[in-house]
Amino acid sequence: MGFLTTDAAVPEPDRRAVLTRALGVATAGLVGAAVAAGAAAAPAAAAVRANQTNWRFCTKCYGMFFRGYPTDGACPAGAGHDAQGYDFNLPYNVPETSTAQHNWRFCTKCYGMFFWGYPDNGRCPAGNAHAAQGYDFVLPHDIPETAGTQRNWRFCPKCYGLYYYGYPTNGRCPAGNAHSVQGYDFVLPHL
């Protein structure tokens, strides 16, 4: 396309032709953008499906528990868990990596998050060992904390639960006294 001239030998397009061409280019651009957005939305939607919300911090035991049922499970400090703080959005059924550990599970008895990678299942506050059900959560660890994540989530080798290690005390462990700390520093995404 060249420069517009006022030379009589080169006819100028009429207004309708300019508008029709401009609308055709704009419409093609919108269709192309919609197709591109649809292609980009498919993986994003898949990523959303691989996360579960309603995981919360308990102010009594410092554990991570699922708050998606009418009751709040069994807390080692007595009664149900008490939620506070972030709504964690935890990844599940995705590949394990050098900075993301799988085998974290939901316990049907206490509603807590526990590690399901040993021959026994730790100690549940509802009695005996934890009972695994549902997704295989894959929790990120030892990565930088961002505005959308929280670090200091740790594994307790006494109960196998996931608890917050960011206070002067370590909450309440169902195996007795406070939680002990071991292993990775989990950095969990939240809403």
Side-chain angles (χ1 to χ4, degrees):
M1 206 184 221
F3 294 101
L4 291 179
T5 65
T6 56
D7 190 346
V10 179
E12 289 188 41
D14 68 348
R15 194 174 183 160
R16 179 174 292 169
V18 170
L19 288 174
T20 302
R21 183 175 294 154
L23 287 174
V25 169
T27 302
L30 289 174
V31 169
V35 168
V48 169
R49 282 190 302 266
N51 291 302
Q52 185 181 52
T53 61
N54 289 324
W55 285 95
R56 304 294 298 272
F57 163 76
C58 175
T59 61
K60 298 187 317 187
C61 68
Y62 296 5
M64 175 70 70
F65 78 101
F66 186 67
R67 193 166 193 219
Y69 294 112
T71 63
D72 289 329
C75 179
H81 294 285
D82 283 339
Q84 183 176 329
Y86 298 121
D87 179 359
F88 290 92
N89 188 21
L90 303 181
Y92 64 87
N93 296 348
V94 295
E96 182 177 50
T97 68
S98 62
T99 58
Q101 183 182 48
H102 83 108
N103 278 338
W104 286 94
R105 302 296 295 271
F106 164 75
C107 175
T108 60
K109 299 183 337 183
C110 69
Y111 296 5
M113 175 73 70
F114 77 100
F115 187 68
W116 195 54
Y118 294 114
D120 62 342
N121 288 337
R123 181 78 175 267
C124 180
N128 300 317
H130 293 287
Q133 185 175 341
Y135 302 124
D136 175 14
F137 290 93
V138 183
L139 303 182
H141 61 80
D142 300 313
I143 59 174
E145 184 178 42
T146 66
T149 61
Q150 185 182 50
R151 63 180 292 268
N152 284 329
W153 286 93
R154 305 299 293 267
F155 166 74
C156 175
K158 298 184 332 184
C159 68
Y160 297 2
L162 183 68
Y163 78 100
Y164 187 66
Y165 183 64
Y167 293 115
T169 62
N170 288 339
R172 182 81 171 266
C173 179
N177 300 317
H179 292 288
S180 294
V181 64
Q182 184 178 317
Y184 299 126
D185 178 7
F186 292 96
V187 184
L188 305 180
H190 58 77
L191 301 177

